[in-house]
Amino acid sequence: MMLTGVVFVVLMCLCGVCDAGCANRASPSCCPGRNNECVEFSARRSVCYCDAYCKRTGDCCEDYNTICHISAAVDCEVRQWGLWSPCSSICGEGTTERSRQVKTPPRNGGKPCPDLKQRRGCLAHSDTCGTAKEVAKILPDSFRRNFKDPWRRPHMLMKQEKKSYCVNMRVKQASLGCKLKMWSAKLVYERSICVECQSDAMATDNRCLGDGLKNTRTFWSAASAPGCSGSWVRESSTENCQCPPYSLLFV
């Protein structure tokens, strides 16, 4: 008796009077894309789907092709990868990335887009790499040399004085040893410090060793405070300038 009932249902579906599948859904009876709620029951009372994605998964209702008039699924297409970006570091380890654009977005349950960005490590060694590795030696401005030598003989040659310049540094790290001296205790995280480069401290290229790089962390060491060192970032510089009182000097 059970077998006879099953044969009867199958014959009913073959004759086009099967009352099951996408035709039973309320309007709209079919769904674009992938929609797990776009579901019905087949003539055998098993779950079947009426979304466009069912063509890919093979679980469409029996009347999907006749009832649903949804465009075929369109897979995502992407363009070629762009060039790798410059290394994020000017000296040492950093990262670089590249990207690509979507040429054709997915539609009607098509294959989704793959990754549009890639990132990898890099090792930079630019022309400024040597400057980034310099360690600035600093002192409080109480060591400022702005006096005239009363014992200088008229026939003695004077060293050519070069105009000072100022560098504004933002402290990023300071060791515990900095707290032992009053002048170095102000070297605390995120504090902006003016450091002056005077003529006596300038090298042959008219700059002080370790005067930093724009937006790049460099390192410093306090010359008269043992155990005091840290890092900072150069924010700006001013030519022909003197820092205000209680600032620092490059050595």
Side-chain angles (χ1 to χ4, degrees):
M1 189 66 180
M2 180 68 70
L3 180 60
T4 304
V6 173
V7 173
F8 177 75
V9 172
V10 174
L11 289 175
M12 290 282 288
C13 291
L14 293 176
C15 294
V17 294
C18 181
D19 190 23
C22 301
N24 288 350
R25 285 181 51 78
S27 180
S29 58
C30 301
C31 310
R34 182 173 185 172
N35 186 348
N36 290 340
E37 295 181 359
C38 196
V39 64
E40 253 305 325
F41 290 97
S42 68
R44 298 174 180 81
R45 308 308 298 167
S46 60
V47 174
C48 61
Y49 293 87
C50 298
D51 58 351
Y53 197 77
C54 74
K55 298 286 287 184
R56 300 178 62 88
T57 52
D59 51 7
C60 298
C61 295
E62 292 94 329
D63 59 353
Y64 175 83
N65 291 328
T66 57
I67 298 299
C68 302
H69 302 284
I70 300 176
S71 301
V74 177
D75 294 338
C76 177
E77 289 186 85
V78 293
R79 301 186 186 278
Q80 295 294 323
W81 286 107
L83 298 177
W84 287 101
S85 67
C87 192
S88 61
S89 172
I90 63 171
C91 186
E93 296 180 356
T95 58
T96 178
E97 63 179 30
R98 65 178 181 175
S99 60
R100 56 185 174 182
Q101 303 295 322
V102 175
K103 182 179 180 181
T104 304
R107 296 193 301 271
N108 304 324
K111 186 182 297 184
C113 296
D115 291 339
L116 300 178
K117 282 189 176 183
Q118 285 184 340
R119 179 177 295 179
R120 67 182 183 185
C122 56
L123 189 63
H125 187 79
S126 64
D127 295 337
T128 56
C129 203
T131 304
K133 291 181 178 180
E134 292 177 354
V135 179
K137 296 290 185 180
I138 56 174
L139 282 172
D141 64 354
S142 57
F143 285 82
R144 186 184 303 275
R145 298 178 181 178
N146 56 4
F147 60 90
K148 294 183 179 180
D149 184 0
W151 304 105
R152 185 181 66 83
R153 302 295 185 184
H155 65 276
M156 294 176 65
L157 294 176
M158 286 286 291
K159 180 181 178 182
Q160 182 182 3
E161 290 290 328
K162 302 170 186 177
K163 292 185 177 180
S164 300
Y165 66 89
C166 305
V167 183
N168 290 316
M169 297 289 199
R170 185 165 296 277
V171 180
K172 293 298 180 182
Q173 184 180 12
S175 63
L176 292 176
C178 298
K179 296 181 179 181
L180 301 179
K181 296 280 187 175
M182 185 176 296
W183 72 269
S184 59
K186 61 185 177 183
L187 290 163
V188 294
Y189 178 70
E190 286 300 318
R191 183 167 185 175
S192 184
I193 302 290
C194 182
V195 191
E196 185 177 333
C197 177
Q198 293 186 322
S199 178
D200 289 340
M202 291 182 185
T204 54
D205 57 356
N206 296 331
R207 56 175 288 269
C208 286
L209 186 70
D211 61 355
L213 292 169
K214 183 74 171 178
N215 299 325
T216 300
R217 181 174 295 206
T218 55
F219 300 91
W220 54 266
S221 176
S224 65
C228 177
S229 61
S231 64
W232 52 19
V233 172
R234 179 174 179 168
E235 295 183 312
S236 63
S237 63
T238 307
E239 298 295 329
N240 304 330
C241 162
Q242 285 189 339
C243 288
Y246 307 107
S247 297
L248 302 178
L249 298 175
F250 288 106
V251 179

